Amino acid sequence: MHLRKTRRKTGEWASALVATKKGQKPRVVVLGTGWAACRLLKDLNTDVYDVVCISPRNHMVFTPLLASTCVGTLEFRSVSEPVRSIQPALSRSPDSYYFHAYCTSIDPMNHAVYCEALDDEGVTEGNWKFKVCYDKLVIASGAEPSTFGIKGVNEYATFLREVPHARDIRRRLLLNLMLSDIPGVPIEEKERLLHCVVVGGGPTGVEFSGELSDFIRRDVHEKYSHVKEYVHVTLIEANEILSSFDVRLRQYAVNHLSKSGVKLLRGVVKEVFADRLILNDGSTVPYGVLVWSTGVGPSNFVKKLEFEKSPGGRIGVDEYMRVPQFEDVYAIGDCAGYLKSTGKPILPALAQVAERQGKYLGAALNSLALAGGGRAGAAKTTKLGEPFVYRHLGSMASVGRYKALVDLRENKDAKGLSWAGILSWLVWRSAYLTRVVSWRNRFYVAVNWATTFVFGRDISRF
């Protein structure tokens, strides 16, 4: 262990994981535990590298199935995978660590990152600041939900990107069902409490709307019969829902969601209040649960970094996922984008993009170490291999009630297979079940699906 403590004049302890020395393995520091980071961690060769993972989240979230946890189709542990299970060296190797912390700044000239530890209240103060030196740094810190500067979104809306978000939605939904059943509650208040509004017609928003409508029709109507006629779902989208899908599939989704009781509303949100939102045409939409799913943008951490940015504000990288102006720094996932000078388009913020980048960089760094370029500053004369190339494998989305969409075209203008219906739903479930990271979670997901099919969803509120 190379953790050193030094006493500051202020009385605080400044801890540091000091630079590696000759005879030690080079150290790869990974910021994040999303799709890109965890695939990289899984593939890194810990025989040639020590690994340090720094993230405020000690697990990976299988985001395609997160919407199912909001209504009890799946349990929360079924969609989360501990990072120490993904990369066992974080638990077993004496010089590899997971730090539950947030990176506050990067010093690329001195090959160091500065961090603050986290507790349940957020970033701690004083004694819990530390420095980690690296040989290779991989920034995979992800992105943040886009609010487009709309007033009230951060204060009153719930995003759907993390397990705590899904838990909050589930608790709010079940609480509102119980509150609306209390004698004396006015009809107008019942309608507001039980109005679930989803903003954003991408795959996450559509899948959540489908899951919610299925939950209402199968479980709420049976177990909350006194208030079932007041429960409604509205999906608000400024343009077309599922815009990256085939036109025929988009129309199928619109028809199916409408038949399932989801009201589709086209508009732009102007302002959000605690119990209602205002659209740009001046109309008011009251709500009891508001889920915001309008895409992602650069995080405040990424914005603060003094790196050259790609169009859109992501960290600028070349074809090898390197940050060109600083040696030994790489960026992958939603926080990274090609520099304009590469002539390549910005890749979409999708799980399959991030995972593919993590796989590519893991293999590249392994080859680099075996070629003698693993040390800080040692990669100048060592080739990284072939540049990263992304080929889209297609898109899938569930729309509820055993129906889904599968679009296997490489892009929205290309020709290819696309279909919808129960067969697509079986393909969707099979594909996601095989993509869940561990056999443990595949078992959990399969059992959860079977239990929900036979007995319905659990409506307990904890």
Side-chain angles (χ1 to χ4, degrees):
M1 180 175 179
H2 311 292
L3 192 65
R4 178 183 297 167
K5 287 186 176 181
T6 57
R7 186 63 130 171
R8 289 180 177 171
K9 292 182 179 179
T10 58
E12 297 177 352
W13 284 97
S15 300
L17 203 59
V18 299
T20 56
K21 298 179 176 61
K22 188 176 180 179
Q24 299 171 354
K25 289 185 286 187
R27 180 185 301 133
V28 177
V29 172
V30 181
L31 305 181
T33 49
W35 282 84
C38 286
R39 183 54 197 253
L40 171 74
L41 288 168
K42 180 181 179 181
D43 289 357
L44 276 176
N45 183 354
T46 53
D47 290 332
V48 294
Y49 285 117
D50 285 324
V51 182
V52 174
C53 177
I54 302 168
S55 175
R57 187 181 72 185
N58 73 342
H59 58 274
M60 173 189 167
V61 179
F62 192 81
T63 47
L65 294 178
L66 190 59
S68 298
T69 66
C70 300
V71 295
T73 306
L74 297 176
E75 291 303 316
F76 299 115
R77 67 176 178 175
S78 302
V79 300
S80 60
E81 188 71 32
V83 67
R84 295 178 189 272
S85 298
I86 294 171
Q87 178 45 267
L90 297 174
S91 298
R92 301 171 186 170
S93 175
D95 295 317
S96 293
Y97 306 92
Y98 163 75
F99 293 141
H100 187 66
Y102 183 82
C103 179
T104 56
S105 63
I106 299 173
D107 182 0
M109 302 304 295
N110 294 305
H111 282 64
V113 295
Y114 294 86
C115 310
E116 292 186 36
L118 294 170
D119 60 17
D120 288 340
E121 303 301 322
V123 178
T124 58
E125 299 294 336
N127 299 347
W128 301 95
K129 297 179 180 180
F130 60 96
K131 179 178 80 169
V132 178
C133 297
Y134 63 82
D135 291 286
K136 308 294 179 189
L137 173 65
V138 181
I139 307 170
S141 54
E144 292 181 354
S146 296
T147 65
F148 306 103
I150 298 171
K151 187 178 179 181
V153 174
N154 283 317
E155 292 81 0
Y156 303 116
T158 303
F159 305 106
L160 187 52
R161 291 180 57 80
E162 307 284 352
V163 169
H165 297 159
R167 185 180 291 113
D168 288 344
I169 293 169
R170 182 170 176 174
R171 286 173 58 85
R172 177 68 65 86
L173 180 62
L174 294 174
L175 176 62
N176 287 359
L177 282 166
M178 292 185 286
L179 288 176
S180 62
D181 221 2
I182 293 175
V185 177
I187 291 178
E188 294 79 7
E189 183 63 5
K190 286 185 180 184
E191 290 176 340
R192 183 193 70 80
L193 284 170
L194 299 179
H195 188 199
C196 305
V197 175
V198 183
V199 180
T204 300
V206 168
E207 290 191 339
F208 175 70
S209 299
E211 283 280 356
L212 196 53
S213 66
D214 196 24
F215 171 64
I216 290 168
R217 294 176 67 182
R218 181 177 180 185
D219 300 274
V220 172
H221 283 191
E222 177 185 342
K223 295 166 184 173
Y224 286 92
S225 58
H226 300 125
V227 297
K228 64 182 182 182
E229 65 269 24
Y230 302 112
V231 187
H232 299 287
V233 182
T234 297
L235 175 60
I236 301 175
E237 168 57 43
N239 300 300
E240 296 284 343
I241 69 167
L242 300 174
S243 59
S244 63
F245 281 73
D246 181 275
V247 175
R248 181 178 56 87
L249 297 186
R250 292 206 302 266
Q251 190 58 51
Y252 180 92
V254 168
N255 295 339
H256 182 78
L257 289 171
S258 299
K259 289 178 182 178
S260 300
V262 178
K263 180 182 178 181
L264 301 175
L265 187 62
R266 181 170 290 189
V268 176
V269 178
K270 183 179 179 181
E271 189 171 359
V272 176
F273 297 92
D275 58 353
R276 68 194 187 282
L277 57 84
I278 310 297
L279 298 180
N280 61 338
D281 62 1
S283 58
T284 300
V285 181
Y287 68 85
V289 177
L290 175 60
V291 177
W292 195 269
S293 178
T294 58
V296 296
S299 65
N300 289 330
F301 170 68
V302 168
K303 290 177 183 177
K304 290 190 300 182
L305 293 176
E306 295 181 358
F307 295 167
E308 187 177 354
K309 301 297 196 301
S310 70
R314 301 185 191 183
I315 298 171
V317 296
D318 63 12
E319 301 93 330
Y320 300 92
M321 300 294 108
R322 297 176 299 195
V323 178
Q325 67 267 44
F326 295 111
E327 192 176 8
D328 298 321
V329 180
Y330 306 82
I332 53 176
D334 294 352
C335 70
Y338 287 125
L339 288 165
K340 192 173 182 179
S341 58
T342 65
K344 290 179 172 289
I346 302 299
L347 296 175
L350 298 175
Q352 62 174 295
V353 174
E355 184 184 31
R356 222 83 61 76
Q357 288 177 341
K359 180 180 180 180
Y360 164 82
L361 188 57
L365 290 179
N366 290 341
S367 299
L368 197 63
L370 294 174
R375 293 270 171 215
K380 294 178 181 179
T381 58
T382 307
K383 291 185 178 181
L384 202 57
E386 296 297 320
F388 174 73
V389 176
Y390 173 71
R391 291 183 176 86
H392 189 60
L393 299 179
S395 304
M396 296 184 291
S398 168
V399 292
R401 298 300 295 171
Y402 313 121
K403 300 293 190 296
L405 316 176
V406 175
D407 190 345
L408 299 183
R409 298 174 305 151
E410 189 170 338
N411 59 67
K412 63 188 302 180
D413 300 318
K415 294 181 179 180
L417 294 174
S418 62
W419 67 95
I422 191 167
L423 176 60
S424 299
W425 179 79
L426 292 172
V427 171
W428 173 82
R429 282 211 162 178
S430 301
Y432 281 166
L433 187 61
T434 59
R435 298 303 297 162
V436 173
V437 176
S438 67
W439 283 103
R440 182 200 68 165
N441 277 18
R442 289 173 196 166
F443 174 78
Y444 284 157
V445 169
V447 169
N448 287 168
W449 278 341
T451 303
T452 298
F453 180 79
V454 176
F455 300 107
R457 296 171 177 84
D458 181 10
I459 60 169
S460 303
R461 183 180 185 270
F462 299 101

